[in-house]
Amino acid sequence: MQLRGGIGRSGQQGVVVESLSSGPSQESSEYTRSRVVALLHSHGVSSRAAIARSLDLTPAAVTKVVSRLLNEGVVEETGGIEGRGGRRSIGVRIDGTRFHVIGVKFARSLVRIGVFDLDGRPLSMEDLPTVTEDTIAETISSIRRRIHALLRADDSIRAVGMAVPGPYLREVGRTAVVSSMQGWRSVNFLHEFSGRFPVQVFVEQDARAGVLAHHLFDPESQTPDLAYYLLGEGVGLGVLDADRLINGQQGAATEIGHVSVDVNGRPCECGNVGCLEQYCSAVAIHREVVERGMVPGARDMSHAQACEAVFESARSGEADAVELVRRIGRYVGYGCVTIINSYNPRRIVIGDIVAGGGEILLDSVRDVVESRAIPEVRDETEIVLSTMSPDAAVTGAAAVAIQHLIDRPSLLVGSGKATEHPVA
C-alpha cells in the first residue's frame, strides 16, 4: 500500500491507498525502500532472498536496499533462519519498538492522545478534559502543548497522526458536519497544526483511520476488502476495497452516519432526516437513556459512561436495557445491510463505544442482516465486534502516521522532518 497526503506534504492531507509507478531516481529508490519496509512490517522476519522473491526484485537490489536500511537503523539482522531448500539465511526485521508515533483522536466531547510504537502497541494514553462548545479553542491549544511535551520527552517520535470526525473535507482541512457539537466545524486542522512541530502531521477521517488500524494490526482483519463501522459519538465508515481506501472527491465518501434509515424520522443537523446517527450513536443512546430515566445520574455522565451503564444493565439481564440494546442493534444492522449492498466487503468490524453492547447487540445486528440482505452476498460477509484495544480510532490515528512512515522511510531517519514553530 502507498499513502499520499498529510500536513506538511505539498498542502495535502488525508490518506489515499494506491500503487505508484516508478518516477525520478530518488523517488524510485524511496519507493523500493518502502516496499521492503512494508513487507517486513507485515510479515516480520524475512531473508534477503525471500524479500527479492516476494517483491520481484533482483537479489542485488534487495541487498543494496537492506544495507542502507541497516545503516540507518530502520531494520536489524536477527541471525540465522531456515531458507528455501533448507539453506540457512540471515534474517532481517524492523525493530517496531525503536520508532514511535503520536495518535490523536477527536470525537466531539473527547480528545484522546496516545504514543505508539510501529507495531501499533500503545506506550501511553491520556484523555484531555471533556470538550464543550465553549472550550474547543482551549482544547486545540492544549493538544499543541501536549504534542510538544511528548516530542521533547521522546526523541524517537517520527510523526503525528490525527483522526477527525467525518465528513472531513481534505482539501479544505475541516469537517463539514459534526452533529451535536457544531463548533468543531470552525476548526481548520490544516491551519491549527500545519508546520507547528518538528515532525509531520497527517490527518484522516476517523473511520478510515480505524479500518487502516485493523488492516495493519489485527491479524483476523488483514483482508483486502474490509469495512470498519465506527459507532461512537458519531457514526462513520471506513472501507478498503482491494486494499484501496475509498475516499471520494473531497474525502467525504462512505458517510454512512448520514444515510437515512427513516424518511419521516428525526431531523439531523446535516439537513437530512432519519439519519442513522440519530438512532445508534452514543449521543443518541445517551439522549434516550436520559429521557427514559434508565440510569440514575445519566444526565451528568459522558456519552461513553451512559452507554456503558446501559450495556452493563443489559449484560445483567435487566429487561428494559436488553430491549434498548436489541433495538440499537437493529439500527446498526440496517447500516450493515447498506454496507453489504454498497461495498460488498469480506468483513465488517463494528467498533468504538457502541460495540460495548456486545453479543446482545451483535445478535440483533445479525438477525437484521439475515432477513434483509441479499443471501448470496450476506453469506460471504463476516460481521464481528472489534477486539482492538484500547481504541481503534486513536490506534487508527497512529496507523495513519505509521503507514506514512512505511511509505516514506526517509521520515524514520529524520530526513523528512518539518521545521519547528513555536507553540501558539
Side-chain angles (χ1 to χ4, degrees):
M1 290 191 297
Q2 179 77 17
L3 300 185
R4 182 181 60 207
I7 293 174
R9 261 186 100 184
S10 305
Q12 296 292 319
Q13 68 285 340
V15 178
V16 179
V17 181
E18 59 180 17
S19 296
L20 297 183
S21 58
S22 60
S25 58
Q26 186 173 356
E27 291 186 8
S28 178
S29 174
E30 180 81 328
Y31 174 55
T32 301
R33 294 169 71 218
S34 76
R35 293 181 68 203
V36 173
V37 170
L39 185 143
L40 291 173
H41 187 268
S42 175
H43 293 89
V45 178
S46 186
S47 68
R48 292 165 176 79
I51 295 171
R53 289 193 299 271
S54 296
L55 300 181
D56 196 24
L57 296 171
T58 65
V62 170
T63 296
K64 180 179 179 181
V65 168
V66 170
S67 294
R68 181 176 175 185
L69 292 171
L70 282 167
N71 290 335
E72 294 170 339
V74 176
V75 303
E76 63 182 5
E77 292 185 333
T78 63
I81 60 173
E82 186 171 335
R84 178 179 282 186
R87 298 174 183 170
R88 300 294 290 174
S89 301
I90 300 297
V92 293
R93 69 169 185 175
I94 296 173
D95 181 359
T97 65
R98 180 171 182 192
F99 301 107
H100 302 157
V101 301
I102 295 172
V104 184
K105 168 190 174 177
F106 296 82
R108 294 165 174 81
S109 68
L110 171 68
V111 172
R112 179 168 289 164
I113 302 176
V115 178
F116 296 76
D117 67 19
L118 292 191
D119 293 326
R121 286 184 290 261
L123 307 176
S124 68
M125 194 73 62
E126 62 183 293
D127 291 346
L128 295 189
T130 300
V131 187
T132 68
E133 290 278 9
D134 297 329
T135 63
I136 290 175
E138 179 183 339
T139 297
I140 295 296
S141 295
S142 294
I143 293 167
R144 292 194 204 122
R145 289 193 295 270
R146 287 303 302 142
I147 291 174
H148 273 289
L150 290 168
L151 290 168
R152 287 193 296 269
D154 184 353
D155 62 7
S156 64
I157 293 173
R158 292 294 184 265
V160 179
M162 294 184 171
V164 303
Y168 177 65
L169 308 176
R170 65 175 69 253
E171 298 298 328
V172 179
R174 66 176 180 85
T175 297
V177 177
V178 187
S179 305
S180 79
M181 195 176 287
Q182 289 293 330
W184 280 113
R185 293 182 64 186
S186 65
V187 174
N188 188 301
F189 294 92
L190 285 175
H191 296 167
E192 298 294 348
F193 297 105
S194 176
R196 295 180 182 269
F197 310 107
V199 298
Q200 292 193 25
V201 179
F202 302 98
V203 180
E204 183 54 276
Q205 180 249 34
D206 50 8
R208 278 198 283 276
V211 76
L212 185 59
H214 283 83
H215 190 70
L216 283 178
F217 306 128
D218 177 9
E220 299 298 320
S221 294
Q222 290 175 351
T223 170
D225 300 292
L226 178 68
Y228 176 65
Y229 189 4
L230 183 151
L231 295 159
E233 293 190 355
V235 174
L237 177 67
V239 178
L240 277 174
D241 178 29
D243 280 331
R244 296 173 63 92
L245 277 172
I246 296 177
N247 290 276
Q249 178 193 359
Q250 297 171 284
T254 67
E255 280 301 325
I256 196 171
H258 296 291
V259 170
S260 181
V261 293
D262 184 351
V263 295
N264 299 307
R266 300 170 183 169
C268 181
E269 292 171 68
C270 75
N272 197 4
V273 297
C275 287
L276 187 63
E277 194 167 279
Q278 295 298 314
Y279 302 94
C280 59
S281 67
V283 175
I285 295 167
H286 191 178
R287 180 177 60 233
E288 184 159 358
V289 167
V290 170
E291 289 172 353
R292 294 172 58 171
M294 295 180 67
V295 176
R299 192 178 299 275
D300 297 323
M301 293 180 177
S302 69
H303 301 312
Q305 289 169 339
C307 288
E308 179 51 36
V310 170
F311 298 153
E312 179 61 33
S313 294
R315 287 192 290 270
S316 65
E318 201 279 316
D320 287 345
V322 171
E323 183 276 328
L324 177 58
V325 174
R326 285 176 176 164
R327 181 153 56 84
I328 294 164
R330 288 198 294 274
Y331 282 105
V332 176
Y334 302 153
C336 282
V337 172
T338 299
I339 295 168
I340 290 168
N341 289 342
S342 299
Y343 303 107
N344 187 26
R346 176 67 187 87
R347 190 175 224 238
I348 299 173
V349 180
I350 298 172
D352 218 291
I353 295 170
V354 181
E359 291 301 318
I360 298 173
L361 179 117
L362 189 59
D363 286 345
S364 188
V365 170
R366 288 170 171 162
D367 286 345
V368 169
V369 171
E370 181 73 22
S371 63
R372 297 192 176 212
I374 300 167
E376 291 85 350
V377 182
R378 170 199 73 208
D379 293 345
E380 295 299 320
T381 306
E382 183 182 19
I383 303 174
V384 300
L385 298 174
S386 175
T387 58
M388 184 164 288
S389 179
D391 180 329
V394 71
T395 305
V400 171
I402 290 167
Q403 186 66 64
H404 276 283
L405 295 178
I406 292 170
D407 290 339
R408 294 182 63 195
S410 59
L411 293 174
L412 287 168
V413 294
S415 59
K417 285 190 175 183
T419 302
E420 183 172 11
H421 291 260
V423 180

